[in-house]
Structure formats: C-alpha cells, structure tokens
Amino acid sequence: GYALAKHWNLPESYCEVVRDHHLPDPNPSHTLLNIVALADKACIRQGIGLESDESLRLEATEEGHNLGASSIVLAQLLVAMEDACQLA
C-alpha cells in the first residue's frame, strides 16, 4: 500500500498512514494515523471487514488514548457506525 500511495504521489503523511495504521504502538503525535487506526479497530469491533472481535474495547486502545477520546465519544462512534450499516 505504501509503495502504491507513493506512486500516486500522495502526501508523505498519507503514505505513512497507509503503511503504519496497523502498528501496535502508533506515533502519538500523528493525529491522522491515530484516527485511521482507531477507525480500523472500530470496524473490527463492529465486525465490518475481514476481522471481527466484539470484545475489543476502544477505550483501551493506544489510538483512543493518543486522541484523548472519552468512552462516551467512542461509544457514540460505535452507535453511529451501527446506524450507518443499518442504512446501507
């Protein structure tokens, strides 16, 4: 993915997100990376995509911590995702 993003001349910050969003310890100062990694974990939590883990707790993730996301905001994210999936 990283090589393709580079080939497409995407900004380096986006290329890093493509490359690093599955790393266990994301760079805490890379906000976009943390948002994408958290969204990826939220999809896993909701069973959207190839992986599913209903026991995943977003409030316990490094990304949630790095973004300063409260448990209320993270719960709202999951509800919004569930609603969006029902509309699809």
Side-chain angles (χ1 to χ4, degrees), residues 33-86:
L33 172 62
N34 282 277
I35 290 170
V36 171
L38 181 64
D40 187 58
K41 288 187 176 176
C43 287
I44 292 168
R45 167 66 176 81
Q46 297 298 85
I48 301 169
L50 299 175
E51 295 181 58
S52 180
D53 182 357
E54 291 183 13
S55 69
L56 187 95
R57 297 177 45 113
L58 295 183
E59 63 272 9
T61 64
E62 199 63 31
E63 297 84 0
H65 174 75
N66 291 344
L67 293 167
S70 70
S71 57
I72 292 171
V73 167
L74 296 171
Q76 290 172 330
L77 169 65
L78 294 176
V79 168
M81 290 177 70
E82 187 174 315
D83 290 346
C85 286
Q86 290 177 357

Side-chain angles (χ1 to χ4, degrees), residues 2 5-6 8-18 30 32:
Y2 178 80
K6 292 291 280 184
W8 286 343
N9 295 314
L10 293 178
E12 182 61 27
S13 181
Y14 293 3
C15 297
E16 291 171 2
V17 169
V18 169
H30 197 317
L32 182 60

